[in-house]
Amino acid sequence: MGILDVEIVKLYIRMCQDGWEQGWHERNGGNLTYRMKAEEVDACRPFFRTPGEWVQMGVTGENLAGEYFLTTGSGKYFRNVQPDPTHSIGIVEINDKGDAWRIVWGLENGARPTSEFPSHFMNHSVRVAATDGACRVIYHAHPANLIAMTYVLPLTARDFTRALWKSATECPVVFPGGVGVVPWMVPGGADIALATSELMKQYDAAVWAHHGLFCSGPDFDTTFGLMHTIEKAAQIWILAQSAGQGKILQTIRDDELRAIATEFGVQLNEDFLD
Ligand SMILES: [Zn+2]
């Protein structure tokens, strides 16, 4: 029995492999963080090493003080997570002020958490508050069809939400609140972290223009499923636009979106309906 036999670590590695197999993680693209439950930390603790130094994050999340996160490593490849987890992923502990991390497992040979860790951390902080503690997963990937949409649609939450809702009947049920859109920004910095976390107060997914998608959720299935559903809808949108050379003969009407919501008992964001 080792830490790689602990169920939550196995599920985390499986999600990384699933994202790689979808083609969303070229080279070192994308990152995944998971806020561990107390019993999951306890199951992993026997395998922790002497902790490293505290490293300041430049952002603060007081509601995440003392939490533990599974995280992908900076510059590490999703392709390598399953064959080489100890160098590709790790567990970090957050200090009692909620402004620094230290490595307690993995990320061997001097690796560090993803360069987007401050972004993930701020989004965790916002989503934990927005979901009464239910949110545990933040996932960033580079799905090609959604990125392609950011070149041809206005960069607004309304335009993207409507296009995606109308591209596949399941969409209004899977993300009834819609998706937010962040304009193009330099990745890895505090600015994009702040802009994304502002949107994540309202949405559980945010598009990064010409870059990718941020998703959040309570578990791996829901969060991976959200990424997968949005990208599948984007693929259908791109296919329909391409096949019709920009001309759409028919689509799901707004009253039909409302009918789906009624049938499935979800509340659609009315701002996005005509
Ligand atoms: Zn990225």
Side-chain angles (χ1 to χ4, degrees):
M1 174 89 189
I3 194 169
L4 300 177
D5 299 309
V6 174
E7 189 63 14
I8 195 63
V9 177
K10 286 199 287 191
L11 291 172
Y12 181 91
I13 292 171
R14 180 183 157 210
M15 176 145 161
C16 291
Q17 181 66 17
D18 285 346
W20 159 248
E21 287 173 2
Q22 289 293 329
W24 298 338
H25 298 287
E26 74 291 341
R27 204 175 182 276
N28 60 328
N31 22 74
L32 173 66
T33 54
Y34 172 75
R35 184 172 60 88
M36 300 171 77
K37 297 176 181 170
E39 61 268 30
E40 292 162 349
V41 176
D42 289 343
C44 292
R45 199 182 299 276
F47 310 103
F48 286 175
R49 61 172 183 252
T50 307
E53 295 293 304
W54 290 111
V55 176
Q56 294 290 321
M57 288 184 281
V59 296
T60 304
E62 281 173 11
N63 59 345
L64 300 178
E67 297 274 4
Y68 288 78
F69 289 88
L70 272 157
T71 179
T72 45
S74 178
K76 299 300 180 183
Y77 294 25
F78 270 57
R79 178 170 170 258
N80 293 335
V81 170
Q82 190 178 71
D84 186 15
T86 57
H87 292 87
S88 307
I89 65 173
I91 296 175
V92 295
E93 178 187 3
I94 304 299
N95 68 351
D96 57 8
K97 286 200 183 77
D99 65 359
W101 53 257
R102 64 180 182 182
I103 298 169
V104 297
W105 174 80
L107 295 172
E108 284 179 9
N109 292 356
R112 291 161 66 95
T114 167
S115 58
E116 294 291 357
F117 195 81
S119 243
H120 279 243
F121 187 75
M122 283 190 73
N123 282 297
H124 274 289
S125 178
V126 162
R127 291 309 295 166
V128 161
T131 61
D132 210 6
C135 179
R136 293 194 172 274
V137 186
I138 300 283
Y139 180 34
H140 169 60
H142 297 169
N145 292 285
L146 184 74
I147 296 169
M149 284 178 76
T150 68
Y151 291 87
V152 293
L153 262 188
L155 295 174
T156 73
R158 181 180 165 87
D159 283 287
F160 271 79
T161 300
R162 288 179 64 79
L164 294 166
W165 277 353
K166 288 165 179 271
S167 292
T169 296
E170 65 180 324
C171 286
V173 181
V174 176
F175 47 99
V179 297
V181 180
V182 181
W184 187 88
M185 297 176 81
V186 175
D191 289 348
I192 197 165
L194 205 68
T196 310
S197 60
E198 267 308 306
L199 290 177
M200 296 295 257
K201 288 176 183 169
Q202 179 180 352
Y203 304 105
D204 51 17
V207 180
W208 278 7
H210 322 320
H211 183 152
L213 181 63
F214 250 80
C215 285
S216 66
D219 53 45
F220 296 133
D221 279 351
T222 310
T223 314
F224 190 88
L226 181 59
M227 179 77 70
H228 205 183
T229 303
I230 290 174
E231 170 59 2
K232 182 77 174 282
Q235 182 182 22
I236 293 164
W237 191 88
I238 293 286
L239 284 171
Q241 292 286 328
S242 305
Q245 296 185 318
K247 225 165 64 186
I248 296 294
L249 277 188
Q250 57 273 317
T251 184
I252 305 169
R253 298 192 309 265
D254 285 47
D255 57 342
E256 293 170 330
L257 290 174
R258 289 191 180 91
I260 297 169
T262 304
E263 180 66 26
F264 287 86
V266 297
Q267 182 66 47
L268 289 185
N269 187 335
E270 277 286 329
D271 294 348
F272 299 150
L273 294 172
D274 287 336

